[in-house]
Amino acid sequence: MTQERWRKLTYWPLIVASFAFIVAYSWQVIAELRGAPRVLTATIILVTWIMFVADYLVQLSLAPKKGAWFRAHLFALAVVIVPALKPLRLLRVLTLFRPFGRSAGDALRARLMIYGVASALIVVYIAALSVLEAERASTEANITSFGDAIWWAFVTITTVGYGDFTPVTIAGRVVAVILMLSGVAVLGISTATLASWVAERATAGHEEYQPATRAEVRKLSAQLAALGAPADTSSTARPPDA
């Protein structure tokens, strides 16, 4: 068994597990389940957690360099430790879609925007559920409904913070900090993507000012190699000294 084969075998089961988790967790929090229904949702959440723990341990055991793999997959560890992060696994489905564009840069920007928007929506939804579950335990809470929680999550991730709803519990405030940091990251990605798009439009018609992607450089190098010309494009020839 190799890591690649294991990832292929567990790709869809873990996607389904992520979806099952978010459905069960949503039902449990929004409906304030008690009795048998809560036992059912808790069981589903536990089973999905076990699946992610097993996946992490198997991949770690199959890694040829376990230390390097551990450092490169800290997010996978975070998903195991923090169950609320499991729905972010659903973002892997987006890899099935291939954005179309006139250039590799357009495709890259489209993919970044799709990932940014999708991740922001998932984080907002999970943060709303998490803060609602945490705040209900306090008699001083002002976030007591899912509608209030969603509104709070949206204004928090955008760093607006009207202050009409605020978490009062420690767990709720931890969720708020994570949400604000996520908002800064999403805003940074969106701003960089928009700036790149504006720069490309500003240089339209002036190809000499447009940056080349690595894929385009490799393609050009391959064409030069096929023609028998040197493929090194890292330097340009200098004219002889006068």
Side-chain angles (χ1 to χ4, degrees), residues 127 130-135 138 140-143 152 156 165-181:
S130 300
V131 79
L132 179 59
E133 185 177 35
E135 292 298 293
S138 174
E140 301 177 357
N142 53 41
I143 303 176
W152 168 84
T156 301
F165 295 105
T166 55
V168 297
T169 64
I170 294 177
R173 289 174 177 174
V174 169
V175 173
V177 170
I178 296 174
L179 189 58
M180 285 184 283
L181 293 176

Side-chain angles (χ1 to χ4, degrees), residues 1-18:
M1 177 67 69
T2 62
Q3 277 189 309
E4 184 63 26
R5 178 166 175 76
W6 175 260
R7 281 194 291 265
K8 289 181 179 179
L9 290 174
T10 59
Y11 181 87
W12 284 110
L14 291 177
I15 293 295
V16 172
S18 300

Side-chain angles (χ1 to χ4, degrees), residues 190-213:
S190 301
T191 302
T193 303
L194 179 60
S196 176
W197 180 83
V198 170
E200 182 171 313
R201 293 301 176 272
T203 57
H206 301 278
E207 296 184 357
E208 66 273 16
Y209 297 123
Q210 295 182 3
T213 64

Side-chain angles (χ1 to χ4, degrees), residues 2-240:
T2 62
Q3 277 189 309
E4 184 63 26
R5 178 166 175 76
W6 175 260
R7 281 194 291 265
K8 289 181 179 179
L9 290 174
T10 59
Y11 181 87
W12 284 110
L14 291 177
I15 293 295
V16 172
S18 300
F19 184 74
F21 171 86
I22 197 171
V23 171
Y25 187 49
S26 300
W27 186 23
Q28 177 177 292
V29 174
I30 296 174
E32 296 186 74
L33 297 180
R34 297 289 185 273
R38 187 175 182 88
V39 173
L40 174 61
T41 56
T43 301
I44 293 174
I45 292 172
L46 177 61
V47 170
T48 59
W49 180 75
I50 292 174
M51 290 177 64
F52 276 88
V53 171
D55 174 67
Y56 181 85
L57 293 178
V58 170
Q59 290 208 56
L60 180 59
S61 65
L62 293 175
K65 297 181 179 179
K66 293 177 175 52
W69 188 91
F70 175 82
R71 291 189 296 272
H73 295 81
L74 293 178
F75 177 75
L77 179 61
V79 169
V80 171
I81 297 174
V82 184
L85 294 177
K86 288 180 178 62
L88 290 175
R89 181 91 182 201
L90 294 172
L91 292 175
R92 292 196 172 189
V93 177
L94 297 179
T95 60
L96 301 177
F97 300 97
R98 304 294 181 184
F100 294 97
R102 293 187 306 169
S103 65
D106 286 337
L108 177 60
R109 279 188 290 272
R111 177 163 292 182
L112 285 174
M113 289 301 295
I114 291 172
Y115 269 88
V117 172
S119 60
L121 292 177
I122 291 177
V123 168
V124 164
Y125 184 75
I126 294 301
L129 291 175
S130 300
V131 79
L132 179 59
E133 185 177 35
E135 292 298 293
R136 277 177 175 164
S138 174
T139 56
E140 301 177 357
N142 53 41
I143 303 176
T144 56
S145 69
F146 185 64
D148 293 341
I150 281 287
W151 168 254
W152 168 84
F154 269 107
V155 299
T156 301
I157 198 172
T158 56
T159 66
V160 175
Y162 289 114
D164 47 354
F165 295 105
T166 55
V168 297
T169 64
I170 294 177
R173 289 174 177 174
V174 169
V175 173
V177 170
I178 296 174
L179 189 58
M180 285 184 283
L181 293 176
S182 301
V184 171
V186 171
L187 181 61
I189 292 173
S190 301
T191 302
T193 303
L194 179 60
S196 176
W197 180 83
V198 170
E200 182 171 313
R201 293 301 176 272
T203 57
H206 301 278
E207 296 184 357
E208 66 273 16
Y209 297 123
Q210 295 182 3
T213 64
R214 290 188 177 182
E216 291 169 338
V217 172
R218 285 195 297 267
K219 183 178 179 180
L220 177 59
S221 298
Q223 291 174 344
L224 290 174
L227 293 173
D232 183 12
T233 59
S234 60
S235 61
T236 57
R238 295 182 179 179

